Amino acid sequence: MRLDKYLKVSRLIKRRTLAKEVCDKARVEINDRPAKASSNVKIGDKLAIRFGQKIVTVQVEDIKENPRKEEAASLYRVLGEVPVPRDEKEEDAYIKG
């Protein structure tokens, strides 16, 4: 399954277009490698997603095309959350400013 679609159906990111934008800005990694929206996601892959001031790491547990809302959380397992390192925050401020 495409990465942008997986992020949407698992409800990690609300909309597929937003998931594509996040991938295009190199804020998503699959197994410690930067990933494009068209990258394939497989069971067992580790995804690191940068959300604002934190990086959330999840492991892909299952892949379903159209899961119900209640099933979405079972598609992945959260491995951890870490704050964004200070130098990356400053870099974002420079880009935005």
Side-chain angles (χ1 to χ4, degrees):
M1 175 180 288
R2 285 175 54 108
L3 175 59
D4 58 345
K5 184 170 183 180
Y6 181 80
L7 292 172
K8 190 248 184 219
V9 299
S10 65
R11 290 177 164 69
L12 285 165
I13 296 181
K14 195 171 186 176
R15 296 183 321 262
R16 188 167 177 179
T17 54
L18 182 59
K20 183 181 180 321
E21 288 175 19
V22 169
C23 294
D24 290 344
K25 292 181 181 178
R27 293 179 177 235
V28 181
E29 295 180 351
I30 297 178
N31 299 325
D32 300 322
R33 292 189 172 150
K36 295 182 178 181
S38 61
S39 300
N40 282 326
V41 176
K42 302 179 299 284
I43 294 174
D45 284 347
K46 291 182 183 175
L47 307 178
I49 309 158
R50 184 167 167 193
F51 292 107
Q53 302 301 319
K54 64 183 175 181
I55 298 173
V56 177
T57 306
V58 299
Q59 182 168 357
V60 178
E61 296 287 316
D62 196 6
I63 295 176
K64 292 184 180 180
E65 288 293 322
N66 296 308
R68 293 192 336 247
K69 184 178 180 180
E70 299 80 27
E71 297 173 324
S74 68
L75 298 180
Y76 61 91
R77 179 171 44 111
V78 177
L79 300 176
E81 281 185 32
V82 294
V84 174
R86 181 175 169 79
D87 59 335
E88 290 183 31
K89 287 181 192 175
E90 290 172 359
E91 185 177 301
D92 275 353
Y94 177 74
I95 293 170
K96 291 177 186 174

